[in-house]
Amino acid sequence: MLNKFLAAGIAAATLAGVATTAYAGKELDAIKARGNLLCGVGTGTAGFNLANSQGKWVGLNVDVCRAVAAAIFGDAEKVKYVPLTAQQRFTALQSGEVDLLSNNTTFTLTRDTALGFDFTGVTYYDGQGFMVPKKLGLKSAKQLNGATVCVAPGTTTELNLADYFRANKMSFKPVVIEKVDEIRAAFFAGRCDVYTTDASALAATRAANVPAPLTIEDFVILPEIISKEPLGPVVRHGDNQFADIVRWSLFAMIEAEEYGITSKNVDEMMKSDNPTIKRILGVTPGMGKALGLDEKWVYNILKQVGNYGESYDRNVGMGSPLKIARGQNELWTKGGLQYAPPIR
Ligand SMILES: N[C@@H](CCC(=O)N[C@@H](CS)C(=O)NCC(=O)O)C(=O)O
């Protein structure tokens, strides 16, 4: 009921072009009073957000939810996961059904403004790609004229697809399916020639969802990446303190990787003489206070979740079935784009 009123209010404010009122700490107070974080995730993509055989959610996106809970509660387990399709996610965030989305949502201008949200960083730098059955013998997306294309509604994918085909004077027939498992089933059953989405999700689908007797080798991801898809956590406008906590929880994971602090060595690192490490870990106090958190907020994130590189490797990198190279998601010090502003 409360959610409905909130949704109506936000919708009205959005329609009138008025920014929703900003009150510091209101969302955070509600999260603390509730005792857990409501994190909107995808319905099931290996490496990013997937409930495992024990029903435990794992993945790179899930680790961001866990990091925020560790920062706020000192306990990464204090998260309730709400699986959402791409179509459902924005209403769920606007209505207060979730506190944040961490689900492969692309940071765009209209989502950051007209929809009433704030993006708080980039968990994964991605771009849109195309996957096709190998037996079609295709080498390039430029050969897709007239293709039947499986795509999810309410996504940047749908918009980029139309732009790309128009720009290349090609036609296509969209097969629009909301649920990601149904899109995959349609593609593997040959109801479309092509599946298009973020390249990371194509890699996940190819690594984890190909039904026997088909194998990974039966599918190829074409070389063209047709868009920028910076995927990151997103919150409602209105509580800057909560947005700051989400923003700096991800930055802390990235900064910790840069300074070599891991889940394994964090206790040892508490004794470090390096002033930056002392500040990050709260040995020198101040950063926690500035966010309204315990000074051990980063210690708790690292101990319970790990740094960005650990999460990347375990979930989508070389320590995972996906084996996606770090590429653009490497640290800036190693030629990538992942760059956290200083914790000071
Ligand atoms: N990044 C694009 C595409 C997002 C997207 O389609 N995500 C899919 C595939 S990873 C998804 O997670 N859908 C939710 C689900 O059903 O799991 C966007 O933000 O619009």
Short mmCIF file of all heavy atoms in Angstrom, two decimals, residues 42-45 49 84-86 89-90 103-106 111 152 154-157 178-180 195 197-198 201 229 231, ligand 1:
data_model
loop_
_atom_site.label_atom_id
_atom_site.label_comp_id
_atom_site.label_asym_id
_atom_site.label_seq_id
_atom_site.Cartn_x
_atom_site.Cartn_y
_atom_site.Cartn_z
N GLY A 42 19.01 -9.62 -11.31
CA GLY A 42 18.40 -10.29 -12.46
C GLY A 42 17.82 -11.63 -12.04
O GLY A 42 18.02 -12.09 -10.92
N THR A 43 17.08 -12.26 -12.95
CA THR A 43 16.42 -13.51 -12.59
C THR A 43 17.36 -14.71 -12.67
O THR A 43 17.08 -15.74 -12.09
CB THR A 43 15.18 -13.77 -13.48
OG1 THR A 43 15.61 -13.79 -14.84
CG2 THR A 43 14.13 -12.70 -13.27
N GLY A 44 18.46 -14.56 -13.40
CA GLY A 44 19.39 -15.69 -13.44
C GLY A 44 20.36 -15.62 -14.59
O GLY A 44 20.08 -16.11 -15.68
N THR A 45 21.54 -15.03 -14.34
CA THR A 45 22.61 -14.99 -15.33
C THR A 45 23.89 -15.41 -14.62
O THR A 45 24.32 -14.75 -13.66
CB THR A 45 22.74 -13.58 -15.94
OG1 THR A 45 21.53 -13.28 -16.65
CG2 THR A 45 23.91 -13.50 -16.91
N ASN A 49 24.28 -12.74 -11.50
CA ASN A 49 23.29 -12.95 -10.43
C ASN A 49 22.58 -14.26 -10.70
O ASN A 49 21.87 -14.41 -11.68
CB ASN A 49 22.28 -11.80 -10.31
CG ASN A 49 22.06 -11.02 -11.58
OD1 ASN A 49 22.27 -9.81 -11.61
ND2 ASN A 49 21.64 -11.70 -12.63
N LEU A 84 14.33 -9.67 -10.71
CA LEU A 84 13.49 -8.83 -11.57
C LEU A 84 13.89 -9.01 -13.03
O LEU A 84 15.08 -9.12 -13.33
CB LEU A 84 13.69 -7.35 -11.20
CG LEU A 84 13.35 -6.93 -9.76
CD1 LEU A 84 13.96 -5.57 -9.46
CD2 LEU A 84 11.84 -6.90 -9.56
N THR A 85 12.92 -8.98 -13.92
CA THR A 85 13.25 -8.94 -15.34
C THR A 85 13.66 -7.50 -15.69
O THR A 85 13.38 -6.56 -14.91
CB THR A 85 12.05 -9.33 -16.24
OG1 THR A 85 11.05 -8.33 -16.09
CG2 THR A 85 11.50 -10.71 -15.86
N ALA A 86 14.25 -7.35 -16.87
CA ALA A 86 14.65 -6.00 -17.30
C ALA A 86 13.43 -5.08 -17.34
O ALA A 86 13.50 -3.91 -16.98
CB ALA A 86 15.33 -6.08 -18.65
N ARG A 89 12.30 -3.95 -13.62
CA ARG A 89 13.25 -3.40 -12.65
C ARG A 89 13.00 -1.94 -12.26
O ARG A 89 13.14 -1.58 -11.09
CB ARG A 89 14.70 -3.57 -13.18
CG ARG A 89 14.93 -2.85 -14.48
CD ARG A 89 16.26 -3.21 -15.14
NE ARG A 89 16.15 -2.95 -16.55
CZ ARG A 89 17.14 -2.90 -17.40
NH1 ARG A 89 18.36 -3.12 -16.98
NH2 ARG A 89 16.93 -2.63 -18.66
N PHE A 90 12.63 -1.09 -13.24
CA PHE A 90 12.56 0.34 -12.92
C PHE A 90 11.33 0.67 -12.07
O PHE A 90 11.40 1.49 -11.17
CB PHE A 90 12.63 1.19 -14.19
CG PHE A 90 13.93 1.00 -14.93
CD1 PHE A 90 13.95 0.78 -16.30
CD2 PHE A 90 15.14 1.02 -14.24
CE1 PHE A 90 15.15 0.59 -16.97
CE2 PHE A 90 16.35 0.83 -14.91
CZ PHE A 90 16.35 0.60 -16.28
N ASN A 103 22.00 -5.13 -11.20
CA ASN A 103 21.51 -6.17 -12.13
C ASN A 103 21.80 -5.87 -13.59
O ASN A 103 20.90 -6.00 -14.43
CB ASN A 103 20.00 -6.34 -11.93
CG ASN A 103 19.23 -5.10 -12.33
OD1 ASN A 103 19.81 -4.04 -12.52
ND2 ASN A 103 17.93 -5.23 -12.51
N ASN A 104 23.01 -5.50 -13.90
CA ASN A 104 23.36 -5.28 -15.31
C ASN A 104 22.55 -4.16 -15.96
O ASN A 104 22.20 -4.23 -17.13
CB ASN A 104 23.22 -6.57 -16.14
CG ASN A 104 24.29 -7.59 -15.80
OD1 ASN A 104 25.12 -7.35 -14.92
ND2 ASN A 104 24.28 -8.71 -16.48
N THR A 105 22.25 -3.15 -15.18
CA THR A 105 21.54 -1.98 -15.73
C THR A 105 22.55 -0.97 -16.26
O THR A 105 23.48 -0.57 -15.55
CB THR A 105 20.63 -1.34 -14.67
OG1 THR A 105 19.57 -2.25 -14.39
CG2 THR A 105 20.03 -0.04 -15.17
N THR A 106 22.34 -0.57 -17.50
CA THR A 106 23.23 0.39 -18.15
C THR A 106 22.93 1.81 -17.66
O THR A 106 21.77 2.23 -17.61
CB THR A 106 23.05 0.33 -19.68
OG1 THR A 106 23.27 -1.00 -20.10
CG2 THR A 106 24.01 1.26 -20.39
N ARG A 111 17.73 7.42 -17.72
CA ARG A 111 17.51 6.66 -16.48
C ARG A 111 17.98 7.45 -15.27
O ARG A 111 17.36 7.40 -14.20
CB ARG A 111 18.24 5.32 -16.58
CG ARG A 111 17.61 4.38 -17.60
CD ARG A 111 18.46 3.16 -17.86
NE ARG A 111 17.79 2.24 -18.79
CZ ARG A 111 18.30 1.11 -19.21
NH1 ARG A 111 19.51 0.74 -18.81
NH2 ARG A 111 17.64 0.34 -20.05
N ALA A 152 15.33 -8.66 -25.37
CA ALA A 152 14.47 -8.41 -24.20
C ALA A 152 13.90 -6.98 -24.27
O ALA A 152 14.61 -6.05 -24.64
CB ALA A 152 15.29 -8.57 -22.92
N GLY A 154 12.35 -3.31 -22.89
CA GLY A 154 12.68 -2.38 -21.80
C GLY A 154 14.17 -2.26 -21.58
O GLY A 154 14.62 -1.93 -20.49
N THR A 155 14.94 -2.52 -22.63
CA THR A 155 16.40 -2.51 -22.51
C THR A 155 17.03 -1.52 -23.49
O THR A 155 16.41 -1.16 -24.51
CB THR A 155 16.96 -3.91 -22.84
OG1 THR A 155 16.55 -4.25 -24.19
CG2 THR A 155 16.46 -4.96 -21.88
N THR A 156 18.24 -1.14 -23.21
CA THR A 156 19.02 -0.37 -24.18
C THR A 156 19.29 -1.24 -25.41
O THR A 156 19.43 -0.71 -26.52
CB THR A 156 20.37 0.07 -23.56
OG1 THR A 156 20.99 -1.06 -22.96
CG2 THR A 156 20.18 1.16 -22.52
N THR A 157 19.35 -2.55 -25.19
CA THR A 157 19.61 -3.51 -26.26
C THR A 157 18.65 -3.33 -27.44
O THR A 157 19.06 -3.33 -28.61
CB THR A 157 19.40 -4.95 -25.70
OG1 THR A 157 19.91 -5.02 -24.38
CG2 THR A 157 20.04 -5.97 -26.59
N GLU A 178 10.28 -11.26 -22.67
CA GLU A 178 10.67 -10.59 -21.43
C GLU A 178 11.61 -11.42 -20.55
O GLU A 178 12.59 -10.90 -20.04
CB GLU A 178 9.41 -10.22 -20.61
CG GLU A 178 9.78 -9.49 -19.33
CD GLU A 178 8.59 -9.12 -18.46
OE1 GLU A 178 7.45 -9.27 -18.90
OE2 GLU A 178 8.84 -8.68 -17.33
N LYS A 179 11.30 -12.69 -20.35
CA LYS A 179 12.07 -13.49 -19.39
C LYS A 179 13.34 -14.04 -20.04
O LYS A 179 13.28 -14.68 -21.10
CB LYS A 179 11.22 -14.64 -18.87
CG LYS A 179 10.03 -14.17 -18.04
CD LYS A 179 9.58 -15.28 -17.10
CE LYS A 179 8.52 -14.78 -16.13
NZ LYS A 179 7.16 -15.17 -16.55
N VAL A 180 14.45 -13.86 -19.36
CA VAL A 180 15.74 -14.19 -19.95
C VAL A 180 15.85 -15.71 -20.22
O VAL A 180 16.41 -16.12 -21.24
CB VAL A 180 16.88 -13.61 -19.08
CG1 VAL A 180 17.13 -14.40 -17.83
CG2 VAL A 180 18.13 -13.40 -19.88
N TYR A 195 20.84 -13.91 -31.02
CA TYR A 195 20.48 -13.40 -29.70
C TYR A 195 21.37 -12.20 -29.46
O TYR A 195 22.59 -12.29 -29.59
CB TYR A 195 20.71 -14.50 -28.65
CG TYR A 195 20.47 -14.06 -27.20
CD1 TYR A 195 19.62 -13.01 -26.87
CD2 TYR A 195 21.11 -14.73 -26.16
CE1 TYR A 195 19.42 -12.62 -25.55
CE2 TYR A 195 20.91 -14.36 -24.83
CZ TYR A 195 20.06 -13.30 -24.54
OH TYR A 195 19.86 -12.92 -23.24
N THR A 197 22.35 -9.11 -26.70
CA THR A 197 22.30 -8.49 -25.38
C THR A 197 23.72 -8.03 -25.05
O THR A 197 24.60 -8.02 -25.93
CB THR A 197 21.71 -9.45 -24.31
OG1 THR A 197 21.56 -8.74 -23.07
CG2 THR A 197 22.59 -10.66 -24.05
N ASP A 198 23.96 -7.64 -23.79
CA ASP A 198 25.31 -7.25 -23.38
C ASP A 198 26.26 -8.43 -23.63
O ASP A 198 25.90 -9.59 -23.36
CB ASP A 198 25.31 -6.90 -21.89
CG ASP A 198 24.35 -5.76 -21.56
OD1 ASP A 198 24.10 -4.92 -22.46
OD2 ASP A 198 23.86 -5.70 -20.43
N ALA A 201 26.58 -11.00 -20.91
CA ALA A 201 25.45 -11.93 -20.76
C ALA A 201 25.47 -12.97 -21.87
O ALA A 201 25.04 -14.11 -21.67
CB ALA A 201 24.13 -11.16 -20.74
N GLU A 229 27.92 -0.08 -22.77
CA GLU A 229 26.97 -0.49 -21.73
C GLU A 229 27.68 -0.50 -20.38
O GLU A 229 28.10 -1.54 -19.88
CB GLU A 229 26.40 -1.90 -22.02
CG GLU A 229 25.78 -2.10 -23.39
CD GLU A 229 24.49 -1.33 -23.63
OE1 GLU A 229 23.73 -1.10 -22.66
OE2 GLU A 229 24.24 -0.97 -24.80
N LEU A 231 27.58 -0.92 -16.85
CA LEU A 231 26.58 -1.51 -15.96
C LEU A 231 26.92 -1.18 -14.52
O LEU A 231 28.06 -1.37 -14.10
CB LEU A 231 26.58 -3.04 -16.14
CG LEU A 231 26.52 -3.56 -17.58
CD1 LEU A 231 26.64 -5.08 -17.61
CD2 LEU A 231 25.24 -3.09 -18.28
N1 LIG B 1 22.18 -3.49 -19.97
C1 LIG B 1 20.95 -3.46 -20.72
C2 LIG B 1 20.33 -4.83 -20.87
C3 LIG B 1 19.91 -5.46 -19.58
C4 LIG B 1 19.34 -6.84 -19.78
O1 LIG B 1 18.68 -7.17 -20.75
N2 LIG B 1 19.59 -7.70 -18.87
C5 LIG B 1 19.07 -9.03 -18.97
C6 LIG B 1 20.05 -10.02 -19.43
S1 LIG B 1 21.52 -10.06 -18.44
C7 LIG B 1 18.62 -9.34 -17.60
O2 LIG B 1 19.37 -9.34 -16.68
N3 LIG B 1 17.36 -9.49 -17.47
C8 LIG B 1 16.80 -9.73 -16.18
C9 LIG B 1 16.56 -11.15 -16.02
O3 LIG B 1 15.49 -11.61 -16.46
O4 LIG B 1 17.42 -11.82 -15.43
C10 LIG B 1 19.99 -2.49 -20.07
O5 LIG B 1 20.27 -1.99 -18.98
O6 LIG B 1 18.93 -2.22 -20.66
#
